[in-house]
Amino acid sequence: MNDLNPKQREAVRYLDGPLLVLAGAGSGKTRVITAKIAHLIEKAGIAARNITAVTFTNKAAREMKNRVGKLLGSDAARGLTISTFHTLGLNILRRELKAAGLRSGFSIFDEQDVDQLLRELAKKNDADKDALQRARWQISAWKNDLVDPEQAIAVAATDIEAFQAALYGAYQRALRAYNAVDFDDLILLPVSLLRDDAELRERWQNRIRYLLVDEYQDTNGAQYELVKLLVGVRGALTVVGDDDQSIYAWRGARPENLARLRDDFPRLHVIKLEQNYRSMRRILHAANTLIANNEHVFEKKLWSELGPGDELRVINCKDEEDEAERVVSEIIHQRFNSGAPYSSFAILYRGNHQSRPFEKALRTQNIPYFLSGGTAFFSRNEVKDVMAYLRLLANPDDDSAFLRVINTPRREIGTGTLEKLSQYAGTRGTTLFNAIGEFGLEDQLSARALSRLREFADWLQSAARAADGAPAVDTLRQLLSDIDYRDWLNQSSNSDKIAERRWENVEELINWLAKLQADENRGDTLAEMVNHLALMDILERQDEESNDDRVVLMTLHGAKGLEFPHVYLVGMEEELLPHRSSIEEDNIAEERRLAYVGITRAQTTLVMTCAERRRRAGELTRCEPSRFLAELPADDLRWEGRGATMSVEEKKARGNANLANLKAMLGN
């Protein structure tokens, strides 16, 4: 407690009612949450098992757990729940299976599973890809707003809304038949249970005696309701948030949830954390000046004791290639002068498409980099297909894998058939695969539908027998040949080039399996191979937490919560930041918050760039500097590039840095 400032200590000790901690960027909010958990256990006498802390990412939850463990020791923290919102929802559903109408082992559909199911359901309507995408977003929005299919149908005012509402109803029925939920259901279903069942609600309110919520400005309507229901009239709640860093409206976040707290909790106490421990004063002055242009429910102003720091530089470039070359040259120069590791540099941009010129420039200079936010290998459709087949061969009871592959390639097994199969399996308490072989299914399905299912089951059993004792790579190659998967890729891809690229990903998976098989220290059964590949998937997802010395390239959305000594905020132009769609929708406030997040990632130096021309859809178009640059304090900015000249000393220093980097590349 001694290392906390007065406001932080006040937030930790306050237990007289619900508390909102307005925590500015870099103000030590995680330290406050973890210290408060320790205070609740050690001083307030609340058992660890009755405390729940909720945040938005697994990484943040792991960091919080580690910090609490160091403060308290593992024994004192035993039973404490620190998780994401969705993990908390999942835990509630697992404990309340019967009330939720689910069976043990229910599947969780990811985005691609959802897309595939919606395509099947909408096939009769001949809906195009864009219409289905909009329908998926709308269904997600309805769930986040706690709107059920019946309500959606009742308020549908257009043909499009009626189609989306009808699809929503069919989609929910299919999920229930498949004993499955989607990501949004992990919040929606627990809210429904807590709202409709007083005994269940009281049970969970007694289980969670104190609730702490991080990043509260990112909560959507359903998450807000979940918090309210779990806390109840007791109001044993601390929420931490910052409305200036609310940048997820596009996925349902509502910064106004911070203001709603005052209405729902009249005894709400507010504490502001304004001391920043991350950035130099000029950086914070720029951030404060920018965000002051937004309307605020709660006013706050960041300040720091770290000194003024360097001027913020704005480099005007000719085009995106010149921009990339200038930024990479700056990194080389800065590293040469300061000896800073590559990992202290971050290049931040509005959209993933902006990364390509920077990747090229970094590769040219032989500088290692990490691209955050690209499509992970195991997230690619074709890799997920093949992995699902392997999972099903190793474990025929994997209903999720079964549903993914049953019509990939297409076997003319319709949604109606699968719904009846799932309903029958549910009544019999068995898996989908086992249900196919039962005589009772003959009364539920037509002879043709049953024949197709049993043909698939027979093939799977035959393939599983052949796989027993055979090298896993041989099994996989035979499987791909049996289902003619390469031909399926050719049929289902938009071009031959895309089909070829997807097949290359399949071959890469085969090569990985071969490497695993060649390692004599590994197990050699198919199940063991699948487990190893699954582990590789997990490790790939954790790659962003790697400590390798690499320059980081990431979007502004992805950078939230992170910090870097040296930040390059690139593409500061109208229609990029702020984005064109936000300008058209008159939603500049969120784009300004996004720029604010980018600026406050910087600890020591901040360089911003804008281009005079940029290629869009193959056309070279003129660009205007972002309005946000004009909103920054002019006295703290140093403009370069547009007629600005570099001193002889600066030119010489940069020349020496580039020469040193070239010599390093050549091994001299």
Side-chain angles (χ1 to χ4, degrees):
M1 193 79 79
N2 293 333
D3 62 341
L4 300 177
N5 67 38
K7 286 294 184 182
Q8 290 173 331
R9 272 197 297 277
E10 183 188 353
V12 167
R13 290 172 175 164
Y14 186 83
L15 295 174
D16 294 337
L19 173 66
L20 165 60
V21 181
L22 274 175
S27 62
K29 67 181 178 65
T30 305
R31 187 191 307 171
V32 168
I33 294 172
T34 51
K36 183 146 197 173
I37 291 170
H39 183 74
L40 289 167
I41 295 170
E42 293 180 328
K43 304 295 183 187
I46 300 177
R49 67 177 179 277
N50 295 130
I51 298 170
T52 293
V54 184
T55 187
F56 275 84
T57 67
N58 287 319
K59 182 181 177 183
R62 281 195 300 272
E63 183 185 349
M64 222 177 275
K65 277 180 185 172
N66 290 337
R67 289 200 192 186
V68 172
K70 286 175 184 174
L71 278 176
L72 291 175
S74 55
D75 287 344
R78 185 169 291 119
L80 173 70
T81 298
I82 300 178
S83 73
T84 64
F85 264 104
H86 291 90
T87 302
L88 174 61
L90 178 60
N91 289 338
I92 293 173
L93 291 182
R94 281 175 172 161
R95 288 173 180 265
E96 309 292 350
L97 277 175
K98 188 175 179 183
L102 294 166
R103 302 190 304 279
S104 178
F106 63 87
S107 300
I108 301 171
F109 276 26
D110 64 14
E111 248 180 55
Q112 292 168 332
D113 295 327
V114 170
D115 284 343
Q116 186 172 337
L117 177 54
L118 288 177
R119 277 198 306 272
E120 288 293 326
L121 292 171
K123 211 160 46 179
K124 292 174 186 173
N125 295 80
D126 199 27
D128 63 26
K129 190 176 180 182
D130 287 343
L132 285 178
Q133 178 87 298
R134 288 191 294 272
R136 181 165 67 81
W137 290 338
Q138 182 57 65
I139 290 169
S140 179
W142 275 325
K143 290 189 177 190
N144 289 336
D145 289 337
L146 302 174
V147 175
D148 63 30
E150 290 73 25
Q151 291 169 313
I153 289 168
V155 299
T158 66
D159 289 345
I160 291 174
E161 289 174 2
F163 161 71
Q164 292 172 340
L167 185 60
Y168 180 20
Y171 171 68
Q172 286 302 97
R173 289 191 295 275
L175 283 179
R176 186 56 57 97
Y178 294 164
N179 192 35
V181 296
D182 64 18
F183 206 54
D184 295 319
D185 286 331
L186 296 178
I187 308 296
L188 172 65
L189 290 178
V191 166
S192 300
L193 295 177
L194 291 164
R195 191 177 52 193
D196 300 340
D197 188 329
E199 185 183 332
L200 184 148
R201 182 169 63 249
E202 186 179 354
R203 188 163 66 245
W204 278 95
Q205 288 176 352
N206 288 331
R207 178 173 283 151
I208 300 176
R209 308 290 294 182
Y210 203 97
L211 181 65
L212 305 99
V213 185
D214 190 15
E215 304 286 10
Y216 204 71
Q217 75 283 346
D218 292 339
T219 55
N220 59 35
Q223 288 160 341
Y224 182 92
E225 206 60 33
L226 180 63
V227 168
K228 221 170 88 174
L229 288 163
L230 287 172
V231 171
V233 293
R234 191 187 302 130
L237 169 73
T238 291
V239 305
V240 182
D242 180 7
D243 52 343
D244 290 335
Q245 295 188 75
S246 181
I247 57 174
Y248 294 114
W250 51 275
R251 70 181 190 198
R254 292 183 173 178
E256 62 268 23
N257 283 348
L258 289 169
R260 283 179 68 192
L261 285 167
R262 277 184 167 165
D263 299 328
D264 291 324
F265 299 97
R267 294 167 52 229
L268 182 73
H269 184 57
V270 179
I271 296 174
K272 298 178 186 179
L273 303 184
E274 296 172 295
Q275 183 176 0
N276 175 285
Y277 293 92
R278 172 189 298 160
S279 306
M280 309 305 282
R281 281 205 298 271
R282 273 197 173 106
I283 292 169
L284 294 182
H285 184 222
N288 286 332
T289 306
L290 175 72
I291 207 65
N293 291 281
N294 276 5
E295 292 182 7
H296 286 83
V297 177
F298 304 99
E299 296 291 340
K300 68 178 185 310
K301 196 170 185 179
L302 296 177
W303 60 276
S304 170
E305 294 179 341
L306 297 178
D310 297 337
E311 289 177 306
L312 313 186
R313 295 166 58 211
V314 183
I315 302 177
N316 195 60
C317 310
K318 288 184 292 186
D319 54 29
E320 61 261 48
E321 290 187 1
D322 181 44
E323 178 185 49
E325 288 166 6
R326 290 288 296 270
V327 167
V328 171
S329 176
E330 289 288 334
I331 291 172
I332 293 169
H333 174 65
Q334 180 83 328
R335 191 168 180 271
F336 180 73
N337 282 348
S338 64
Y342 285 123
S343 57
S344 64
F345 298 93
I347 301 171
L348 308 181
Y349 36 75
R350 179 63 176 81
N352 276 313
H353 66 278
Q354 291 171 256
S355 71
R356 295 183 194 109
F358 294 98
E359 291 184 77
K360 181 182 175 184
L362 288 164
R363 283 197 300 266
T364 299
Q365 294 292 345
N366 206 31
I367 295 174
Y369 68 89
F370 170 64
L371 179 65
S372 174
T375 304
F377 179 75
F378 282 93
S379 295
R380 293 183 167 95
N381 261 323
E382 59 276 9
V383 176
K384 291 187 75 169
D385 287 346
V386 176
M387 282 293 293
Y389 268 109
L390 290 175
R391 280 163 44 200
L392 197 58
L393 276 182
N395 174 24
D397 291 339
D398 187 332
D399 280 3
S400 181
F402 178 96
L403 289 170
R404 180 169 188 93
V405 305
I406 188 66
N407 265 322
T408 307
R410 200 170 301 286
R411 295 184 175 88
E412 295 183 14
I413 298 171
T415 305
T417 298
L418 292 175
E419 283 186 17
K420 289 175 182 175
L421 172 65
S422 186
Q423 287 164 355
Y424 177 80
T427 58
R428 296 285 296 151
T430 189
T431 64
L432 299 176
F433 177 79
N434 287 335
I436 292 173
E438 293 197 0
F439 289 119
L441 188 62
E442 295 173 7
D443 298 330
Q444 310 297 319
L445 295 174
S446 69
R448 190 178 179 191
L450 185 64
S451 171
R452 284 182 178 141
L453 281 174
R454 287 184 171 166
E455 187 178 329
F456 172 73
D458 290 344
W459 168 80
L460 190 66
Q461 285 179 319
S462 174
R465 283 194 298 271
D468 189 19
V473 172
D474 294 351
T475 297
L476 178 52
R477 289 191 185 281
Q478 185 59 51
L479 183 153
L480 293 169
S481 173
D482 285 352
I483 63 175
D484 205 358
Y485 190 71
R486 187 168 191 175
D487 185 58
W488 164 249
L489 290 181
N490 289 331
Q491 291 176 35
S492 58
S493 300
N494 292 332
S495 70
D496 292 344
K497 190 174 181 180
I498 291 173
E500 190 58 35
R501 197 179 308 137
R502 294 177 70 190
W503 180 250
E504 285 171 4
N505 290 329
V506 173
E507 289 188 319
E508 186 176 340
L509 183 64
I510 294 169
N511 291 336
W512 277 12
L513 201 58
K515 285 176 187 173
L516 284 172
Q517 195 171 279
D519 186 344
E520 59 186 19
N521 295 320
R522 310 269 187 179
D524 57 0
T525 69
L526 182 64
E528 287 167 330
M529 292 291 101
V530 171
N531 286 340
H532 284 310
L533 285 172
L535 179 60
M536 290 173 83
D537 181 10
I538 293 166
L539 291 174
E540 184 184 89
R541 292 180 195 184
Q542 293 173 346
D543 191 35
E544 292 192 31
E545 296 159 42
S546 167
N547 292 320
D548 287 355
D549 188 21
R550 301 181 284 180
V551 174
V552 175
L553 279 71
M554 62 179 10
T555 64
L556 289 164
H557 286 98
K560 185 167 171 290
L562 304 178
E563 57 188 44
F564 305 92
H566 309 290
V567 166
Y568 295 86
L569 182 46
V570 301
M572 290 287 284
E573 299 145 30
E574 290 291 294
E575 300 196 356
L576 256 186
L577 185 66
H579 195 271
R580 183 190 306 172
S581 61
S582 297
I583 296 171
E584 292 169 351
E585 294 164 10
D586 195 23
N587 186 20
I588 299 300
E590 174 141 340
E591 292 292 297
R592 189 175 286 113
R593 292 195 292 267
L594 201 52
Y596 173 87
V597 164
I599 291 169
T600 53
R601 299 313 94 195
Q603 296 171 292
T604 308
T605 69
L606 173 64
V607 177
M608 292 167 280
T609 67
C610 54
E612 294 177 354
R613 296 180 303 278
R614 194 174 290 273
R615 201 168 294 279
R616 289 197 179 111
E619 297 282 328
L620 204 59
T621 58
R622 290 201 65 81
C623 306
E624 290 294 322
S626 170
R627 69 189 72 188
F628 299 147
L629 291 172
E631 294 176 357
L632 298 176
D635 291 346
D636 289 333
L637 301 185
R638 189 173 94 202
W639 286 79
E640 300 173 13
R642 187 187 293 165
T645 56
M646 194 181 292
S647 71
V648 174
E649 290 78 14
E650 282 181 296
K651 286 181 180 177
K652 187 174 180 181
R654 289 169 198 284
N656 287 338
N658 281 294
L659 182 61
N661 191 62
L662 181 61
K663 285 181 176 179
M665 287 169 60
L666 297 173
N668 294 331

